[in-house]
Amino acid sequence: MQAYPNAKEWKPTTMEKITTIPVNGVHIYTRSIGEAGKAIIFIHGGLQQSAIWETQLKDDLLQEQYRLIALDLPGHGRSGRSAAPERDYSIAGMARQLADYINGMTPDEYVLVGLSSGASLISEALPQLKLAPSGLFFAGAPLPGNNLPIHTVLLASPFAQVLTANPPSDAVLTAYTKRLVYKPTDKFIAVCKQYYHDTDPVFRERFGEYINGKSELLNQLSGLQQSQLPVCFVLGQQEAVVKPNYLDGIRFQHKWKDTIFKVPAAGHLVNYDQPQIFNHLLLQFADEVMG
């Protein structure tokens, strides 16, 4: 299914394949499960990595029907860091890298799943994709546009102190990680802090400029409203990063089930808080749009 030259592959298990794929000089760490022609590609948010999708990648029903692919974005996790961060670490630059990555694949059909700012990257990458996805599945998506700058879509959070090249105090980082899920455990906090420290400090700084409205002014909502692609929106009822009602009343051509799904006992990372509900919705959506 992959058409990349010079990719390094090894198989840690009989089911999961780990690959590092060179894209514009940056090696992208990729996890892939299954061999089906139809794929679900998972895109994490800023300061996260592919491990945040663990309960999706291990879902038996999803594995049975689809090839599951999750990557670490450039500057995150085990992927390489850009030698040209001014070019690559803007939202537009990250979207270009993502589009080039997806264009190197040859799935028969695929769905893109975006978590948090991963949804923003997908929205920006869509016009650059050679083969359009069959649908979009967005969770906790902060999508600016239509006179809604990105900072107006977000709730108050210690972003300014966290999105810096120099790490904040442990107390500030702990407060930030606790905002991501409904009931943070000590294990989750420790793991999420590691995700943070595994992220390129230069990316953190550029991402902070975007979040604070000091760099790109993007209109992702307009493109999605006009898109012919089915879009599923999922938010946690206890969302503490994105304003949970900002999408209410916004019309989309093909909003799946004509609903914004608001999952109880779930925060920003809905897939982590309520994996069974999340996976069930994703399976239904994928079956319908790729059926």
Side-chain angles (χ1 to χ4, degrees):
M1 179 174 160
Q2 293 173 349
Y4 294 99
N6 305 318
K8 300 176 183 177
E9 292 191 2
W10 64 96
K11 294 184 179 181
T13 70
T14 56
M15 292 189 63
E16 182 173 350
K17 185 181 294 183
I18 305 288
T19 312
T20 56
I21 298 170
V23 179
N24 301 323
V26 179
H27 281 79
I28 305 300
Y29 174 87
T30 302
R31 301 173 62 183
S32 176
I33 297 175
E35 300 294 339
K38 297 179 180 181
I40 300 176
I41 304 175
F42 297 90
I43 313 300
H44 65 77
L47 313 184
Q48 298 290 317
Q49 53 188 260
S50 57
I52 202 67
W53 299 111
E54 202 67 33
T55 51
Q56 284 67 57
L57 298 177
K58 292 183 177 179
D59 186 276
D60 290 338
L61 293 177
L62 289 173
Q63 285 184 15
E64 283 178 8
Q65 298 186 53
Y66 302 104
R67 185 176 186 188
L68 308 179
I69 301 168
L71 63 143
D72 290 353
L73 290 167
H76 292 71
R78 301 186 192 183
S79 285
R81 298 182 176 186
S82 173
E86 290 296 319
R87 178 195 67 193
D88 292 337
Y89 286 163
S90 65
I91 295 297
M94 294 285 281
R96 176 182 53 79
Q97 291 282 84
L98 176 61
D100 289 346
Y101 172 90
I102 295 171
N103 287 337
M105 297 182 174
T106 55
D108 298 332
E109 294 181 74
Y110 67 101
V111 162
L112 288 174
V113 182
L115 180 63
S116 189
S117 61
S120 298
L121 296 184
I122 291 171
S123 300
E124 290 293 318
L126 285 175
Q128 304 171 61
L129 297 176
K130 295 177 181 177
L131 173 67
S134 298
L136 308 171
F137 192 96
F138 287 169
L143 302 168
N146 298 349
N147 299 316
L148 288 174
I150 184 64
H151 68 274
T152 67
V153 171
L154 302 172
L155 294 166
S157 174
F159 286 117
Q161 294 171 287
V162 171
L163 295 176
T164 58
N166 295 320
S169 69
D170 187 69
V172 168
L173 192 53
T174 297
Y176 169 76
T177 59
K178 285 183 175 180
R179 295 287 294 272
L180 298 177
V181 293
Y182 177 52
K183 289 187 176 180
T185 62
D186 290 343
K187 181 179 179 181
F188 171 82
I189 293 169
V191 168
C192 207
K193 286 180 181 178
Q194 190 59 54
Y195 293 167
Y196 175 88
H197 290 297
D198 287 344
T199 305
D200 188 342
V202 182
F203 171 81
R204 295 199 301 257
E205 192 168 40
R206 291 300 307 275
F207 192 49
E209 293 171 359
Y210 167 70
I211 292 296
N212 293 315
K214 296 178 181 178
S215 58
E216 302 153 284
L217 296 176
L218 304 174
N219 192 339
Q220 294 157 7
L221 280 177
S222 178
L224 288 173
Q225 284 183 281
Q226 298 170 25
S227 172
Q228 297 302 308
L229 296 176
V231 185
C232 177
F233 292 104
V234 181
L235 291 162
Q237 286 185 0
Q238 283 70 41
E239 171 69 70
V241 176
V242 175
K243 292 180 180 178
N245 299 321
Y246 88 98
L247 288 172
D248 294 356
I250 297 178
R251 296 180 61 85
F252 294 88
Q253 293 278 357
H254 297 284
K255 182 168 62 179
W256 191 56
K257 305 292 186 185
D258 198 29
T259 299
I260 296 172
F261 295 90
K262 297 182 180 178
V263 179
H268 187 54
L269 305 182
V270 187
N271 64 309
Y272 180 91
D273 279 324
Q274 295 291 348
Q276 288 186 323
I277 296 174
F278 185 94
N279 295 358
H280 178 70
L281 285 171
L282 176 56
L283 183 62
Q284 279 190 310
F285 180 75
D287 285 350
E288 183 171 316
V289 302
M290 292 194 290

